[in-house]
Amino acid sequence: MKATAKAHPIQGLIKYHGMRDEERRLPYHDSISVCTAPSHTKTTVEFRPDADEDVYLIGGEPVEGRGAERIEAVVDHVRGLAGFDHAVRLESENSFPSNIGFGSSSSGFAAAAMALAEAADLGLSRPDVSTIARRGSSSAARAVTGAFSHLYSGMNDEDCRSKRIETDLEDDLRIVAAHVPAYKETEEAHREAAESHMFQARMAHVHHQIDSMRDALFEADFDRAFELAEHDSLSLTATTMTGPAGWVYWQPETIAVFNAVRELREDEEIPVYFSTDTGASVYVNTTAEHVELVESAVADVGVDTDVWSVGGPAEILSESEALF
């Protein structure tokens, strides 16, 4: 009753914001994302019938407080599906920095859900597993199905699940990750989202954004898809900043990256667009042909960079790759 899984984090393209059901983490509206590779989370889980309590470790450190509660919600759901109450040991590690806006919760809960479902021998499809991962993080549902994926909203697991979107953009997309290490608290921002006076304005246009993004992906229209993602980042941030806490995640380096991207696009006609999730770090989306030039321009801002491509779905790894 042991399994190891790997999942890639997501970059939100049309992002969800706010939850109408916090326990099941049901979002107010649909969302679309793309997974980034080789960045990943690896997780090993083992159900232990003779153990007295659960053990959760991330990066070798015990998880406590709200983090442990979120993991427990996923573990308990799997135990309920499997029909047993065995204690579990869960160990996880990331290949990239967490809590700076690069989607570590998405890959973390996707890998956990995939490994838990395998260890419990549930025999589920990835869309099925996405409903398990969603209980830890709504974004994790899309990390389970991988690549470009669409999480549908709904009030139950049959409706609120993720499905992959096939598109020819998978091979050509390159993402320059601009690291701006400012800690952020995504969960609290989601909790108060509906209290922003901008939230209803976002709800009024997000459904059209979803339809437009799906169409751009089907047509493999790079500029239209990532222009939409850039504008959605601005919309999300406007809603976040106008909530009760007035969250402002962007840092001076964030704005400097935006300006560098716009200069490349306007002065040199390079296909390049910025995107942010809830954090200060920036995804800079471009094509394989132009990625070296773009990375150089972003690095000149004075931030650390990585170059990522599209990551696939969560997967089960061999026993030899287990963390314990």
Side-chain angles (χ1 to χ4, degrees):
M1 304 186 78
K2 181 177 179 179
T4 301
K6 180 176 80 171
H8 301 288
I10 63 95
Q11 171 195 173
L13 300 179
I14 306 297
K15 293 163 270 288
Y16 89 95
H17 194 42
M19 292 172 287
R20 54 185 170 187
D21 183 321
E22 288 192 28
E23 181 178 348
R24 293 179 294 164
R25 301 189 80 87
L26 300 173
Y28 281 104
H29 59 78
D30 293 13
S31 52
I32 294 174
S33 63
V34 60
C35 281
T36 60
S39 54
H40 67 272
T41 299
K42 181 191 291 187
T43 300
T44 298
V45 301
E46 184 177 25
F47 287 105
R48 297 178 166 182
D50 298 329
D52 294 327
E53 60 183 21
D54 296 334
V55 176
Y56 309 138
L57 300 169
I58 296 179
E61 297 295 324
V63 183
E64 300 174 342
R66 180 57 183 151
E69 290 174 1
R70 291 174 68 181
I71 295 172
E72 186 176 40
V74 176
V75 171
D76 282 348
H77 185 59
V78 171
R79 282 191 282 233
L81 293 172
F84 56 63
D85 60 358
H86 306 329
V88 69
R89 182 179 182 87
L90 181 152
E91 292 192 23
S92 184
E93 61 181 26
N94 296 320
S95 71
F96 62 101
S98 60
N99 288 315
I100 66 168
F102 284 141
S104 58
S105 64
S106 65
S107 55
F109 284 108
M114 196 76 180
L116 285 162
E118 179 72 11
D121 196 25
L122 295 181
L124 301 178
S125 68
R126 284 189 177 86
D128 289 335
V129 175
S130 78
T131 69
I132 298 172
R134 193 197 68 234
R135 283 167 165 80
S137 164
S138 293
S139 297
R142 288 177 266 115
V144 171
T145 50
F148 290 87
S149 282
H150 183 161
L151 174 61
Y152 294 84
S153 62
M155 298 301 292
N156 54 66
D157 287 344
E158 289 303 312
D159 290 334
C160 192
R161 57 178 50 214
S162 179
K163 296 181 182 178
R164 185 165 171 173
I165 302 172
E166 300 295 336
T167 173
D168 289 340
L169 290 181
E170 285 187 20
D171 294 334
D172 198 33
L173 174 61
R174 295 294 182 273
I175 302 126
V176 177
H179 297 243
V180 183
Y183 183 82
K184 49 84 181 178
E185 191 62 59
T186 304
E187 188 170 22
E188 185 61 31
H190 283 304
R191 184 172 292 117
E192 65 175 39
E195 298 180 59
S196 164
H197 67 274
M198 298 291 291
F199 184 72
Q200 292 304 320
R202 179 168 174 80
M203 288 292 291
H205 76 84
V206 72
H207 304 293
H208 176 69
Q209 296 288 90
I210 289 286
D211 291 343
S212 297
M213 178 62 76
R214 286 183 62 88
D215 187 60
L217 294 176
F218 288 140
E219 296 293 331
D221 188 333
F222 178 90
D223 290 292
R224 185 155 65 103
F226 290 100
E227 182 180 28
L228 283 165
E230 183 172 298
H231 282 283
D232 188 71
S233 298
L234 301 174
S235 170
L236 175 76
T237 304
T239 307
T240 302
M241 290 193 299
T242 52
W247 297 100
V248 179
Y249 293 116
W250 292 348
Q251 300 296 310
E253 297 91 338
T254 308
I255 304 299
V257 173
F258 293 174
N259 291 336
V261 167
R262 283 174 164 162
E263 287 177 11
L264 285 172
R265 193 167 69 226
E266 295 168 7
D267 297 344
E268 301 188 42
E269 298 184 349
I270 302 295
V272 58
Y273 300 86
F274 65 78
S275 177
T276 61
D277 287 333
T278 310
S281 296
V282 187
Y283 300 96
V284 179
N285 297 298
T286 188
T287 62
E289 178 184 355
H290 298 98
V291 68
E292 291 184 9
L293 173 64
V294 170
E295 183 187 24
S296 178
V298 173
D300 285 346
V301 169
V303 298
D304 291 335
T305 61
D306 285 311
V307 174
W308 293 334
S309 56
V310 176
E315 60 181 323
I316 299 299
L317 303 179
S318 66
E319 293 182 10
S320 64
E321 296 191 68
L323 296 177
F324 63 88

